[in-house]
Amino acid sequence: MLNDIEKVLLSEEQLKEIVEKLGEQITNDYKGKKLVVVSVLKGSVVFMADLMRAIKIPCEIDFMAVSSYGSGTETSGIVKIIKDLDSEVVCGSDLLIVEDILDSGKTLHYLREVLSARKPSSIKICTLLDKPDRRKAPIKADYAGAVVPDAFVVGYGLDYDEKYRNLPFVGVLKPEIYENN
Ligand code: IMP
Ligand code: MG
């Protein structure tokens, strides 16, 4: 698995620092609010698990699963809800959508539309990684851990073809791994 990584982009230590900082900001911004943290499966699970423990105010958590990629490295643009929120009481909640990476932005744009229609008090986006150069949909993260270059990255929850999610760091995948597909 490690042989497929070109270079480490964010080490375990760097990720820890990033998550602590985001947790602190969210803690300050959501005091007295009805925070519901929504993790977008599966890519954000590792980030979510660390981030929720860095948030020092009461919050609920929930999960949504969407598909957008297939096994390639480009978003198809067609987003499908595979699993919806368990919670039906979105109305009046302060939703914070947690994503692994904001790339074309199509997935989060769609998700934000769907969730906004349920009338939450507020809706914001927290992404671990941001690839602003690749943006196609009109969307910006309210909280972003780190800006990354236009390369395909894996680890800390992020996958290529469902693999590499369990790497404890974020690394650039060697292009030859996906170029042959
Ligand atoms: P978007 O709709 O193009 O913004 O794509 C968002 C989703 O694509 C993310 O939630 C990831 O699952 C996936 N994705 C985008 N870029 C990468 C990457 O570099 N590595 C792994 N997954 C990625
Ligand atoms: Mg993914």
Side-chain angles (χ1 to χ4, degrees), residues 2-123:
L2 285 175
N3 284 338
D4 299 347
I5 304 301
E6 194 166 85
K7 68 168 180 196
V8 174
L9 214 53
L10 298 167
S11 67
E12 284 188 71
E13 291 72 27
Q14 287 171 311
L15 286 165
K16 204 163 173 237
E17 248 175 63
I18 288 170
V19 171
E20 284 302 321
K21 213 169 109 193
L22 289 172
E24 217 175 283
Q25 285 175 19
I26 293 165
T27 301
N28 289 331
D29 294 352
Y30 282 87
K31 284 203 176 104
K33 303 216 165 163
K34 198 175 165 232
L35 175 59
V36 180
V37 190
V38 175
S39 157
V40 185
L41 295 171
K42 304 172 195 166
S44 75
V45 279
V46 182
F47 176 41
M48 173 73 164
D50 286 343
L51 182 67
M52 60 190 272
R53 285 175 290 178
I55 296 174
K56 309 295 181 194
I57 48 168
C59 67
E60 286 179 28
I61 62 163
D62 210 334
F63 296 89
M64 262 183 110
V66 294
S67 78
S68 57
Y69 257 35
S71 61
T73 59
E74 297 274 334
T75 300
S76 63
I78 302 155
V79 185
K80 203 169 87 188
I81 294 184
I82 313 255
K83 185 218 166 289
D84 207 335
L85 298 177
D86 290 337
S87 166
E88 279 158 25
V89 286
V90 166
C91 182
S93 296
D94 294 289
L95 294 186
L96 182 64
I97 306 176
V98 173
E99 248 292 38
D100 53 356
I101 188 164
L102 191 47
D103 185 28
S104 75
K106 289 177 185 168
T107 309
L108 277 182
H109 187 256
Y110 171 80
L111 213 58
R112 195 177 57 179
E113 295 288 299
V114 168
L115 293 176
S116 293
R118 299 180 194 176
K119 306 271 180 266
S121 287
S122 68
I123 182 159

